[in-house]
Amino acid sequence: LQCYQKSVEVSTSPTIKSALTNCTEGQVCTIAGTGDTLSVQSCAGKLSLAAYNGCKSLATVKTCFCETDGCNETLEKAAMAGAKAVVAGGLFVYLLFIVFIGYA
């Protein structure tokens, strides 16, 4: 999995850069902040599948987790990647339910 990670280049005029990096096995992408200009991107350890698709907000800070390459480029992109995963999971459960009812 490749996720964006921010780094700061310290010099007389510091610059903040964001680049794709390879995460280790069992990690997901994360982005947290108040907006795309004020955010932190990284790889994070995965504790459970349910916690790592979509965004949560606490006061003015939004934190998003996602599991596709480059999905933490922006808060909006991470939110959409998480929403697609949740919708796909819900659709799968719905189809299983329909198939089960059909055979019952």
Side-chain angles (χ1 to χ4, degrees), residues 79-95:
M80 292 302 294
K84 287 177 187 173
V86 170
V87 169
L91 188 58
F92 179 72
V93 170
Y94 177 74
L95 289 173

Side-chain angles (χ1 to χ4, degrees), residues 17-100:
K17 295 184 178 183
S18 190
L20 279 174
T21 58
N22 290 318
C23 298
T24 58
E25 184 74 27
Q27 289 189 315
V28 295
C29 300
T30 183
I31 182 170
T34 57
D36 293 328
T37 54
L38 185 59
S39 64
V40 176
Q41 302 157 302
S42 65
C43 299
K46 183 177 179 180
L47 300 175
S48 70
L49 180 62
Y52 293 103
N53 283 310
C55 301
K56 303 275 188 236
S57 293
L58 182 61
T60 60
V61 178
K62 183 185 271 189
T63 304
C64 299
F65 297 93
C66 51
E67 300 180 271
T68 56
D69 287 340
C71 62
N72 68 331
E73 185 176 12
T74 64
L75 285 165
E76 183 179 353
K77 189 173 179 180
M80 292 302 294
K84 287 177 187 173
V86 170
V87 169
L91 188 58
F92 179 72
V93 170
Y94 177 74
L95 289 173
L96 281 177
F97 178 74
I98 295 299
V99 168
F100 179 76

